[in-house]
Amino acid sequence: MATVPTITLNNGVEIPQLGFGVYQIPPEDTAEAVGAALEIGYRHIDTAEMYGNEKGVGEAVRNSGIPRDEIFVTSKLNNGFHRRDDALRAFDQTLADLGLETLDLFLIHWPLPTIDVDYVETWKAMEEIYRSGRCRSIGVSNFNAHHLRRLFAETEIRPAVNQIEIHPYLAQDELRAFDADHEIVTEAWSPIAQGKVLDDPAVVRVAERYSKTPAQVVLRWHIQRGDVVFPKSVTRSRMEENFALFDFELDGDSMGDLSALDRNERTGPDPDTFAYIPR
Ligand code: NAD
């Protein structure tokens, strides 16, 4: 089984650079999918309250026979819970649904700058959660530099992670550099743009050069850039394919060919305008 490299977060916690994402996996299928991922060798699972499948993730982790401290579990604070008391309760609910005593990483899912609850209040609640000892690290998702600058100015603990949309069509080099300058690890969500980049002729050419699949070369591009990735699939052969990234290396030209595809194209919402619609 390949050894996945780890990255050290700014508080000393180690995160496996490759994980398994569970967005859009139906709740009833999640325990099986995560169980398969753990069998294949994934030791990092990325879920969220919003995905409605934390129970399945927890079930698979608890039933895997793998020591709890060998699996890195991330979840995220959903959009309706940005007030302090709501955030604290939502974290308790996440742990209860996972059936775990501690979480490895908890993120604010979206900054929601357009709602009346300031994300600075939310971050202060995240700090309380971290200090309670029930969460090994805290971070943010979909934060731009201006959101992060406010946290630096108005709060005490620096986020360990910023999880943002990144793939060859949206390389995000400026925000990744900002994160790195502030000791924040960047995580790339939708790393293969939900499949949209896989039939791009440039991606196919690089894949042919290495006798690898388009998904493998794109995921390898992320790994060599230093970001954390967690591709999603419910198909076992694809889970295996997406895990097999450590027996080859892209040369500078191939890295450049994939980076040249950047055209600032999102598959998901823009964090500055994303409007929260209550459930
Ligand atoms: P992804 O880029 O991982 O693409 C997943 C889709 O690509 C699958 O549904 C499948 O159809 C296809 N696919 C996967 N492997 C393939 C392969 N080897 N060959 C061909 N097709 C393949 O998209 P994603 O699920 O949106 O993103 C990954 C994870 O990122 C999510 O599961 C979630 O954990 C996280 N995420 C976070 C946010 C956020 O706001 N923080 C938003 C979206 C996703």
Side-chain angles (χ1 to χ4, degrees), residues 225-253:
R225 278 156 52 97
D227 295 343
V228 174
V229 278
F230 23 79
K232 171 256 172 185
S233 177
V234 287
T235 311
R236 193 178 174 111
S237 58
R238 282 180 173 170
M239 290 183 202
E240 285 168 351
E241 178 185 327
N242 296 346
F243 193 71
L245 306 179
F246 302 102
D247 61 350
F248 72 108
E249 193 171 339
L250 300 179
D251 62 19
D253 286 347

Side-chain angles (χ1 to χ4, degrees), residues 20-25 46-48 50-51 76 107 109-110 141-142 163-165 167 188-196 198 213 215-216 219 230-234 237-239 241-242 267:
F20 180 68
V22 299
Y23 176 45
Q24 289 176 333
I25 301 186
D46 184 88
T47 185
M50 190 190 287
Y51 307 162
K76 313 185 191 87
L107 306 177
H109 208 145
W110 288 89
S141 179
N142 300 302
Q163 181 179 127
I164 55 177
E165 180 179 352
H167 42 71
W189 65 251
S190 292
I192 55 174
Q194 300 193 337
K196 290 185 189 81
L198 300 183
T213 67
Q216 286 174 321
L219 293 169
F230 23 79
K232 171 256 172 185
S233 177
V234 287
S237 58
R238 282 180 173 170
M239 290 183 202
E241 178 185 327
N242 296 346
T267 64

